[in-house]
Amino acid sequence: KISGSLPNSIFNLPSLGILDLSANGLTGTVSTAIAQLENLAKFFLSDNQISGTIPSEVGRMTRLRAFRTQNCRMTGVIPTEIASMTTS
């Protein structure tokens, strides 16, 4: 299991396609730097202690098809940028 905050070094991997960090001991928030993962198609954070809101930058991730955060401590509304995302 991985614990603590999401390391910023993860956001320096622009070719990463899938990132599954589910069921770990992760805390903290999702950084706006997530948008640097321009090829990310699937991002799973379920079953962690992640809190805060979903960054609006997620809506600019054109390849993102799955973003799972169930059983986390995230709050707030889903950003409008995500609601306007399209699939192809």
Side-chain angles (χ1 to χ4, degrees):
K1 281 193 171 188
I2 302 170
S3 61
S5 298
L6 287 170
N8 285 331
S9 57
I10 286 177
F11 305 117
N12 295 328
L13 302 168
S15 8
L16 193 64
I18 298 172
L19 182 57
D20 187 349
L21 297 170
S22 299
N24 281 287
L26 294 172
T27 59
T29 61
V30 178
S31 170
T32 57
I34 189 173
Q36 294 175 27
L37 299 176
E38 55 194 38
N39 290 303
L40 196 64
K42 297 178 181 182
F43 187 35
F44 304 138
L45 285 173
S46 303
D47 302 308
N48 280 291
Q49 300 299 311
I50 299 292
S51 60
T53 59
I54 298 171
S56 60
E57 286 78 4
V58 170
R60 292 197 300 260
M61 299 172 71
T62 58
R63 291 190 171 93
L64 191 64
R65 296 295 172 254
F67 181 75
R68 295 186 184 153
T69 60
Q70 60 265 36
N71 298 321
C72 286
R73 296 180 176 203
M74 299 184 90
T75 58
V77 297
I78 296 173
T80 55
E81 293 84 356
I82 292 175
S84 15
M85 290 176 81
T86 58
T87 58
S88 52

